[in-house]
Amino acid sequence: MTRDGGSAAASGATATGATADHTTSGSWRAVGSVAGWQTAASLCYYTIFAATGFIRDEFVISESLVGVFVTAGLLGYTLVLFPSGAAVDGYGEKPVMVVGLLALAIALVGVSLSPPSYALLLVTAALLGGAYSTAMPASNRGIVAAAPTGRTNLAMGLKQVGVTVGSGASSLIITGIAVVAAWQVGFWLIAAVAVGYALVFATRYDGNAGTGRLERPRLGGLRDNRAYVALVAAALFIGASIFSMLGYTVLYVQDVVGRGPAIAGGVLAATQVTGSIGRIGAGSLADRLGGARGAATVALVQLAGSVGLFALLVGTGRSLVMTVGIFVALGLTIHGSTGVFYSCLSAVVDDGDIGAATAGGQTALNVGGLLAPPLFGGAVEFVGYGAGWGFVAGSTALATALLFVVRRRL
């Protein structure tokens, strides 16, 4: 049974979890702590997207090899997702989050010390992604437990704002510091911030207890949940679109619009600002519409809007104003959809399966991200950016169709 369906067993499990951790359940303060952690973690991980221009110049590599660099981070992220989800369900989210943030800081330093070895760069990027795999299973579990009654979509949206704020801040820090110092200095600064927040989080956040044992994820029941399966399929195409956009926004503004790294980084940061606004607005609206169906409805509208915006990029040309306008709108739509997407995913499974279910959804999203950036880079090299954005528009259209199927099943 799903959490929306409300079986007696699931209700009992939820009640038990609330009793075990009465200080965390229904607390906006706990929501804020988890959102802050998500911001710090995303600040670390999304440096690899903000630094694509510097990586290309530092290692003298092609756009396709830049895509391989981005893919290495996603590969590490993907491979460790299910172990991270199992650890969250077994031991609770707090220890996983503290260790994960410290590991992110260490990996960041490793990426900064990788030149001139491209092979070492790929290894350290994979380690960075592996450390970030703790983010979604742990933070989603914390939000579901902490959100006040009837405000789960908004709480999830606020938590997901941490992704866009962290990503946007990393763009400004990496590109801004590179103007006056080496790009590596930005990595070191972000690593220091991560260590500091990990220490604060360890003392201020109580967390929720797990089962006390490490078990293999229970995937059999999830496979029988048709709404969940359709959401996982949609995540594959959402990931392809989001990670292609993240990986090539900076290069597109530099190569096509003809602007420098600072302005290009600013455009990427702007998408994250509007993504934050979109996530909060989408979560609030989904709560008013109610439950998983409300979340699916809002996500469906956002993805449908993204299809048209990506299509506009196919023929935008060199106009900075038009380019900024489209990317800002994409922040509101496709980046703004992930909060309600995860709310919907969490609502269609039992509370005890949230870690594994999130790992499954995030794995599909990451697989899309693994495959798409190199294909996008190849399209740019051999045809042009128009072909790349056309590919992304098609991917988003498929995700929209699958969300329509999900909404009809709820």
Side-chain angles (χ1 to χ4, degrees):
M1 294 290 289
T2 66
R3 292 196 307 113
D4 271 6
S7 68
S11 298
T14 305
T16 300
T19 302
D21 185 30
H22 62 278
T23 59
T24 299
S25 182
S27 165
W28 283 114
R29 177 179 176 180
V31 170
S33 294
V34 174
W37 182 93
Q38 181 69 70
T39 302
S42 297
L43 181 65
C44 294
Y45 176 67
Y46 284 93
T47 53
I48 64 175
F49 299 99
T52 50
F54 303 114
I55 294 296
R56 182 176 64 174
D57 295 341
E58 180 80 32
F59 291 89
V60 193
I61 55 177
S62 67
E63 286 79 7
S64 294
L65 288 181
V66 171
V68 173
F69 161 65
V70 172
T71 298
L74 279 172
L75 180 61
Y77 185 177
T78 304
L79 291 177
V80 191
L81 266 169
F82 275 108
S84 292
V88 169
D89 288 337
Y91 303 121
E93 73 275 11
K94 179 179 177 178
V96 176
M97 293 168 83
V98 172
V99 171
L101 196 51
L102 293 174
L104 280 164
I106 294 170
L108 263 184
V109 175
V111 172
S112 72
L113 298 177
S114 62
S117 171
Y118 180 70
L120 182 58
L121 174 72
L122 297 182
V123 171
T124 53
L127 293 174
L128 183 70
Y132 191 62
S133 70
T134 58
M136 290 304 168
S139 61
N140 282 3
R141 188 177 192 271
I143 286 297
V144 168
T149 303
R151 307 301 284 167
T152 301
N153 288 306
L154 176 58
M156 189 69 77
L158 289 170
K159 190 272 294 185
Q160 284 298 110
V161 164
V163 178
T164 50
V165 170
S167 176
S170 70
S171 299
L172 296 177
I173 292 171
I174 297 299
T175 57
I177 288 181
V179 174
V180 295
W183 59 269
Q184 290 94 333
V185 175
F187 277 63
W188 301 337
L189 175 61
I190 292 172
V193 170
V195 171
Y197 192 81
L199 297 176
V200 172
F201 185 81
T203 59
R204 293 178 60 86
Y205 182 72
D206 294 325
N208 302 276
T211 61
R213 57 188 182 277
L214 195 63
E215 298 178 318
R216 293 181 62 182
R218 295 174 291 179
L219 300 180
L222 294 177
R223 282 194 294 264
D224 295 333
N225 185 330
R226 293 185 179 182
Y228 174 76
V229 170
L231 282 168
V232 169
L236 178 71
F237 298 106
I238 292 172
S241 301
I242 287 178
F243 283 109
S244 293
M245 180 180 165
L246 284 171
Y248 286 92
T249 294
V250 170
L251 295 180
Y252 177 76
V253 175
Q254 290 184 232
D255 296 346
V256 176
V257 186
R259 303 292 170 164
I263 291 179
V267 173
L268 180 58
T271 68
Q272 305 310 298
V273 172
T274 55
S276 300
I277 296 170
R279 292 173 192 203
I280 294 173
S284 181
L285 178 59
D287 279 332
R288 293 183 182 182
L289 295 176
R293 185 177 176 85
T297 300
V298 175
L300 175 63
V301 172
Q302 289 177 298
L303 290 176
S306 301
V307 175
L309 291 167
F310 280 125
L312 284 176
L313 275 177
V314 173
T316 297
R318 295 179 174 272
S319 170
L320 177 63
V321 174
M322 178 68 76
T323 298
V324 171
I326 292 172
F327 278 113
V328 164
L330 282 168
L332 289 170
T333 54
I334 192 160
H335 282 300
S337 69
T338 57
V340 285
F341 175 83
Y342 280 116
S343 290
C344 184
L345 186 146
S346 298
V348 300
V349 301
D350 291 334
D351 284 352
D353 292 329
I354 288 175
T358 299
Q362 190 65 46
T363 296
L365 194 145
N366 285 6
V367 168
L370 284 168
L371 298 175
L375 292 175
F376 189 105
V380 169
E381 284 191 63
F382 295 106
V383 182
Y385 276 98
W389 294 125
F391 162 72
V392 172
S395 176
T396 311
L398 289 172
T400 304
L402 287 162
L403 256 294
F404 179 76
V405 172
V406 170
R407 186 181 179 281
R408 293 194 64 181
R409 291 187 178 277
L410 296 175

